[in-house]
Amino acid sequence: MPYFVYRITQPLRLTYIDTKESYQDARALVRSLREGHPQSPDDFYRMVHANHQAEAERLLSTPRDERVVGED
């Protein structure tokens, strides 16, 4: 499965950047994009591992649950 790289801006707008077959290549691309463009809380780069581009966009569009730290 390939890795899809996206730029995400708020309100949730996905901009497709590239597709890489290996994790190392995708990670290097995301890191270089982050270094080249100052990040703000409303603008960031992400990669996602998916079968196809539609699945990648669905995964990135789905809100994630809050992380639970410790037990109550």
Side-chain angles (χ1 to χ4, degrees):
M1 282 194 308
Y3 292 87
F4 296 91
V5 178
Y6 282 87
R7 177 179 179 207
I8 303 173
T9 55
Q10 298 300 328
L12 195 58
R13 186 168 147 224
L14 303 173
T15 304
Y16 171 76
I17 303 289
D18 199 3
T19 302
K20 299 292 184 185
E21 289 300 319
S22 73
Y23 172 78
Q24 289 81 10
D25 292 340
R27 182 181 66 182
L29 175 59
V30 170
R31 284 183 176 178
S32 69
L33 289 168
R34 288 175 180 164
E35 288 174 0
H37 299 91
Q39 286 189 308
S40 70
D42 297 332
D43 183 21
F44 53 96
Y45 295 93
R46 294 233 0 237
M47 69 175 171
V48 64
H49 190 61
N51 288 318
H52 45 78
Q53 190 171 351
E55 180 183 10
E57 291 180 6
R58 181 184 57 79
L59 290 170
L60 290 172
S61 298
T62 305
R64 294 169 48 177
D65 293 334
E66 292 283 330
R67 294 182 76 182
V68 176
V69 179
E71 294 183 35
D72 289 336

